[in-house]
Amino acid sequence: MAVIKVENLTKDYGDNRGVFDVSFEVEKGEIFGFLGPNGAGKTTAIRHLMGFSKPQSGKTFIQGMDCWTKQKDIQSNLGYLPGEIAFPDGLTGLQFIKDIADLRGMKDLGRAQEIMDIFQLNAKGGMKRMSKGMKQKVGIVCAFMHTPEVLILDEPTSGLDPLMQRNFIDLILAEKTRGATILLSSHMFNEVEYTCDRVAIIKQGHLMSTVKPEDIRHGQKKTYKVEFNQPKSIEVIKQMNFDVEDTQEDNNQLVFTIDDSEINKFMAEISKHDIKFLSERKSTLEDYFMKYYDNSPENREEV
Amino acid sequence: MNAQAIKQSIKDNYKIVNPKYLKQTAKSNYKSLIIFTLVLCTFLAVIIGVSASMADRARMPGMTLEWLLSAQYFGMMAIMFPMIYIIMLGNKLIAGKVDKGDMAYVLATPTTRMQVVMTSLIYFVMSLVIMFLCILLTGIISAAAFSADLDLGNFAMMTFGAFLLQFCLGGICFAASCFFNRSNSSLAVGGGLPVAFFMLKILSAVADELNFLEFFTLLTLYSPDAVAAGTGYVGQFIGMAVIGIALYIFGVVSFKKKDLPL
């Protein structure tokens, strides 16, 4: 049975904002990624899973319970990290963590301490003076400290330095091994690519595609870049039936997309020429993602 | 968490008021309650003390203790100061947390919206009860200590009326805080209306031509003079209680049903 289930969820905020007829399921023990730029509808979908918003149409379920009506039953076994970090003033990080633990009816803060150690967090200081990264760590502690079976994480690594991002990835992989089901929303390719079993690409509230990052990494088609020493080689090769993706005449470079079944033929042909270098360009989730978004470099920065 | 702990936590959390959340709410708000209560009690003690110790010949005509209490204390201070308190607290309890976003952490625990809003409401009303109980006690003790000529029955009824007025105005603050997602809007309505009522009441007393304004302000429902005279206030008291209760119900229901931008 799917642990998280979204059925034809629609919420229209006007101006193309919101989510439209979104459906997906997350299986037990799976890490499911939600990839899209800011404003694509990731947080809107999460609000519904948390019972903060009522669907206009469609339904959302966690562990078989309706998210709008069974909020409290769901949340005794759920960890949530909001995308916006905001804490009450006048509390230390530790006091806040204790307050949240108290509301959960927890006595044992052992796991909270473990997570603070993982992120080298000293939460004794006042929240007002904490940096963005430290606040994010406090949020992470609150989401993970009760070892929930379901985790909903909205842009969890924002504000964390690269080292801590790595620790975070290790943490959620460990949670997955434990059997937790994780929904992770993100606009960062690398964290999604190396953690998620499946990734849904969301654009303007619509689910465009669901893909397994593993399939992208081990796809049948690979991309190679070749630079020749002689300009005439380019003309000759271009006559052949290879799939040329890009030509850069200035540097005598060609970019090919070659299916694994054709690789021997391809190698045989190009080896007849004087080659300066050959390199494989790894296909990444980012390339895949960009198919659904405008591919211009300016946009790439944004995402 | 083991199965039994989950069961226990679910059982705990079906209660309408969450004692743990009440404790946390009290902890982060008790300071303003103490400050406002202290100011109000100090004023009252000073008024009673000065009035009682003033020699009769030094007293300006008509400046009796009764007049000081009904016109100055219950007509101004005991309206204005608690009003600032309820405007600030009302906004902070719900809309402030929603607007800022830290409400998300509370609602991500098995604490329900109903518990959050009811617990906040209990704290809101209970803190007003405490504030006015302190005023009542201060009045009784000061009157005894300074052997002032104070009709305790009337004084208690004036205090009760002042409480009902704040209970009623607090309904506006609390309902606005529950209804709006933004602190600005909550303050504009929850703070704006009571302040406007207060201004209208002052204006209506300035000149006879402006007397009609008193029909546009809830503050007219509380008249310390009527209480002192002993007639024509019971219906108004009931009115304030009913309006207050209706506003609190509206607030609770709207918070339970609305979409939260968390």
Side-chain angles (χ1 to χ4, degrees), chain A residues 111-121 137 140 163-164 166-172 174-175:
Chain A
R111 181 65 180 151
Q113 190 55 52
E114 276 173 39
I115 296 160
M116 285 191 261
D117 292 343
I118 290 174
F119 292 102
Q120 297 163 18
L121 171 67
K137 290 173 184 176
I140 291 172
L163 190 71
M164 291 303 156
R166 219 139 114 199
N167 291 355
F168 180 79
I169 288 174
D170 291 344
L171 173 66
I172 60 171
E175 291 290 302

Side-chain angles (χ1 to χ4, degrees), chain A residues 165-184:
Chain A
Q165 289 185 12
R166 219 139 114 199
N167 291 355
F168 180 79
I169 288 174
D170 291 344
L171 173 66
I172 60 171
L173 290 175
E175 291 290 302
K176 175 190 155 80
T177 313
R178 180 173 68 77
T181 307
I182 303 172
L183 177 72
L184 186 145

Side-chain angles (χ1 to χ4, degrees), chain A residues 98-112:
Chain A
K98 279 183 182 155
D99 278 359
I100 295 297
D102 202 27
L103 289 178
R104 290 199 168 280
M106 289 168 62
K107 299 253 151 42
D108 179 12
L109 286 177
R111 181 65 180 151

